[in-house]
Amino acid sequence: QTVVTQEPSFSVSPGGTVTLTCGLTSVSVSTSNYPSWYQQTPGQAPRPLIYSTNIRSSGVPDRFSGSIVGDKAALTLAGAQADDESDYYCVLYMGGGIWLFGGGTKLTVL
Amino acid sequence: QLQLQESGPGLVKPSETLSLTCTVSGGSISSSSYYWGWVRQSPGKGLEWIGNIYDSGSTYYNPSLKSRVTISIDTSKKQFSLILSSVTAADTAIYYCARTYYFYSYMDVWGKGTTVTVSS
C-alpha cells in the first residue's frame, strides 16, 4: 500500500528557513503527482499554499515556495514568522482520479 | 467568490448511514474544469481524501473507503452529497467539502467543515 510520508514535526527559529518534504514509499515523487501543499491552523479549514509543485496559490506570500528535491516534493518557508506556526499537509495525485494526503507536519516557530 | 457549505446531522448511530450535503454558492457547479469532493479529519489526526465527483457524474473514491462511500451530484440544486454506510466510531471526524481544479489537481476551495460524531 502506497503511503505519503511527511516529517511529523519540525522546528524553525523566527526569521529562519525550513524545508518540509513529502515522499512516497517505494517510488519517487515527480511533477506528474502534481504535489500541492496546504496550511491548517486549529479550528480552521486547510488553506491552499502551493499547487502543481511550485505555483503559489492566490494571496500566498513569496516566503513560501515549492519544488522537487531528490525524490520528494518540498515546501520551503524562508523568513519564518510566528503566525506560520501551523500544520502543513501535502497531497499527491496518484492517477486514476485518486489523491493521497500525507500525515502532515506540525511546524513550530520558536 | 465561490463558497461551499456543508450540512447534515452532527450525530449518527453506529452501523447507520452518514449523509452530508455540500451547497455551492457564488459560482457554477457545472464546469468541466473541476471535481467536487470530500475530505475528512478525525480528532487530532491528519486529513484523509474520501472521494470526488465530476459534473458528468463520474466518481472516484479512496480505495480504503470505496465499499462504503457514494458521492452524488445534483447540478440543478448546486449541491453534491456524501453517503457513508455502516459507520463506526472511527468515522467520527470533521467532514470538509472541497473543489478540486482538474487541470492542476489541487483543492482550491474548501468549506468550513462539519463535525460528525458516531455514537449511540
Side-chain angles (χ1 to χ4, degrees), chain B residues 64-120:
Chain B
S64 68
L65 297 170
K66 187 173 184 177
S67 64
R68 298 193 293 130
V69 172
T70 302
I71 297 176
S72 60
I73 191 167
D74 186 335
T75 54
S76 66
K77 293 183 179 179
K78 297 180 69 175
Q79 294 177 333
F80 59 101
S81 298
L82 169 70
I83 293 178
L84 182 65
S85 64
S86 304
V87 297
T88 69
D91 296 309
T92 293
I94 299 172
Y95 285 77
Y96 297 98
C97 57
R99 184 181 80 170
T100 298
Y101 185 25
Y102 172 86
F103 186 74
Y104 287 118
S105 295
Y106 92 108
M107 296 150 204
D108 65 338
V109 179
W110 293 69
K112 288 181 166 46
T114 189
T115 298
V116 178
T117 300
V118 178
S119 174
S120 55

Side-chain angles (χ1 to χ4, degrees), chain A residues 8 10 17 25 48 64 75-76:
Chain A
F10 230 117
T17 296
T25 51
F64 291 93
L75 173 70
T76 298

Side-chain angles (χ1 to χ4, degrees), chain A:
Chain A
Q1 181 180 341
T2 302
V3 174
V4 179
T5 61
Q6 294 186 248
E7 299 87 358
S9 62
F10 230 117
S11 181
V12 62
S13 300
T17 296
V18 63
T19 296
L20 311 182
T21 68
C22 174
L24 281 169
T25 51
S26 76
V27 295
S28 298
V29 174
S30 74
T31 55
S32 298
N33 293 117
Y34 295 91
S36 56
W37 293 88
Y38 304 81
Q39 178 190 51
Q40 188 182 35
T41 52
Q44 299 296 313
R47 167 200 180 198
L49 289 177
I50 300 286
Y51 62 96
S52 194
T53 304
N54 57 11
I55 304 174
R56 271 186 297 277
S57 191
S58 177
V60 174
D62 59 7
R63 301 183 293 106
F64 291 93
S65 62
S67 62
I68 299 286
V69 177
D71 60 353
K72 296 182 180 181
L75 173 70
T76 298
L77 168 59
Q81 301 177 359
D83 62 2
D84 295 327
E85 189 163 291
S86 302
D87 294 327
Y88 292 86
Y89 292 91
C90 72
V91 178
L92 300 177
Y93 178 61
M94 304 305 295
I98 305 296
W99 280 261
L100 283 180
F101 277 90
T105 297
K106 184 176 185 64
L107 180 66
T108 301
V109 180
L110 52 74

Side-chain angles (χ1 to χ4, degrees), chain B residues 1-5 22-29 36 78 109:
Chain B
Q1 179 148 353
L2 188 134
Q3 292 185 320
L4 304 177
Q5 178 65 58
C22 183
T23 301
V24 178
S25 61
S28 175
I29 196 173
W36 305 92
K78 297 180 69 175
V109 179

